[in-house]
Amino acid sequence: MSLSHPAAARVAAEPEAIGISPARPLRAILPDRRPLRANPLTRRIEAAWLTPLGDIETSTRLAPAIPLFDEACSALARGTVVLTDQGGVAVEDMVPGMQVLTAGGGAEPVQWIGAITLYPGGPSADATPLRLTRITADAFGHGRAGSDLVLGPAARLLWRDPRLTRYCGAEQAFVPAQALADGCAVLALRPAAPMPVYHLALRRHAAIRTLGIAVESYHPGTGLETRIEPRMLSLFAGLFPHLNGVQDFGPLTRPRLSAAMMEQLLES
């Protein structure tokens, strides 16, 4: 029996769908090569993207173990079901070009998929212990989530609350999933075994529908080119060969709230 979260009505709800499996998932289309060896200062990032001609390209590379790179690949844990126009698909079975359903209505094609593996006892990029977030079935009300949902450290959920207008001027915002952990319906977990985690980038910033929960698509945030030095920016932009630069991610379609701001809101 699941416990209901005190703010059950505030998380965006989406209907269930029947699962299917596509033909060539990320794990199948990545090149069969000896994997690059990561060390504590690097991550091995696997990526697949859609070219302007509609072809699928892939890469495996080492990247610095810093939040900028980690957050690009660590929102959806293996097994997370993403709703597409053809039904539900586990994130590890997705390929660029698939049409995912969004909370705003309609479908958007997946442009890019990134993946890393989190290891038990390993630190996050900012030296804090890695935490997954488990949202139990019906945590936010009936069908929200439709079944237990495990999210990665970078996951943000679409949250609805009139009080948000005091913080960001809108009643909807993306908030860190970890900020919702209450020890009962939403749990913070350490991975007990190596856990692949993923993120999806669409043509525009959106809320991706899973089984009852809306999760933010990947976006590095606005003004990135003014916040990091040029060499690091160039290295980071290389993860997204389908774009001419990070500015091509476009604007944020909804504001974001930090974990600290979310804590203040929940206590108000």
Side-chain angles (χ1 to χ4, degrees):
M1 177 176 174
S2 299
L3 299 175
S4 295
H5 192 280
R10 299 172 187 156
V11 166
E14 303 299 341
E16 295 185 356
I18 299 173
I20 63 169
S21 293
R24 302 179 67 225
L26 176 61
R27 59 189 176 186
I29 61 181
L30 286 171
D32 184 12
R33 65 177 75 171
R34 185 174 182 176
L36 296 173
R37 186 178 299 276
N39 62 52
L41 300 179
T42 63
R43 303 279 195 218
R44 186 178 66 131
I45 296 180
E46 297 177 342
W49 63 92
L50 200 64
T51 72
L53 296 178
D55 298 322
I56 296 174
E57 298 286 347
T58 64
S59 70
T60 301
R61 65 177 69 192
L62 294 181
I66 60 176
L68 176 65
F69 290 84
D70 276 10
E71 291 173 4
C73 306
S74 57
L76 305 170
R78 181 183 177 87
T80 301
V81 175
V82 177
L83 300 188
T84 76
D85 61 351
Q86 299 297 310
V89 179
V91 65
E92 66 270 19
D93 289 333
M94 299 204 69
V95 295
M98 285 184 147
Q99 299 279 335
V100 299
L101 303 185
T102 66
E108 287 286 335
V110 174
Q111 298 292 303
W112 181 89
I113 305 173
I116 61 175
T117 299
L118 304 181
Y119 292 91
S124 65
D126 58 3
T128 59
L130 284 170
R131 290 287 187 270
L132 303 173
T133 302
R134 180 186 294 277
I135 300 174
T136 60
D138 300 329
F140 299 114
H142 181 67
R144 300 179 281 175
S147 61
D148 281 15
L149 175 66
V150 179
L151 299 173
R156 294 185 182 93
L157 308 184
L158 182 59
W159 187 265
R160 296 172 179 168
D161 192 315
R163 293 175 295 175
L164 283 171
T165 56
R166 289 184 292 170
Y167 295 87
C168 59
E171 292 191 1
Q172 294 186 16
F174 287 112
V175 304
Q178 292 184 345
L180 302 176
D182 60 6
C184 296
V186 182
L187 307 173
L189 305 174
R190 296 284 298 272
M195 171 66 75
V197 288
Y198 305 80
H199 218 331
L200 309 178
L202 311 181
R203 288 188 306 186
R204 63 181 184 89
H205 184 229
I208 297 170
R209 290 169 54 180
T210 63
L211 296 184
I213 302 293
V215 180
E216 182 186 32
S217 66
Y218 179 66
H219 193 295
T222 57
L224 183 64
E225 62 276 9
T226 67
R227 292 185 277 115
I228 62 175
E229 57 93 16
R231 287 183 299 176
M232 187 63 73
L233 179 63
S234 177
L235 182 63
F236 177 72
L239 291 178
F240 309 97
H242 65 296
L243 302 178
N244 293 321
V246 294
Q247 70 279 356
D248 284 356
F249 277 100
L252 293 172
T253 58
R254 294 179 178 88
R256 289 170 168 169
L257 237 62
S258 67
M261 294 172 67
M262 192 61 189
E263 183 176 354
Q264 293 178 21
L265 182 144
L266 293 176
E267 291 177 352
S268 64

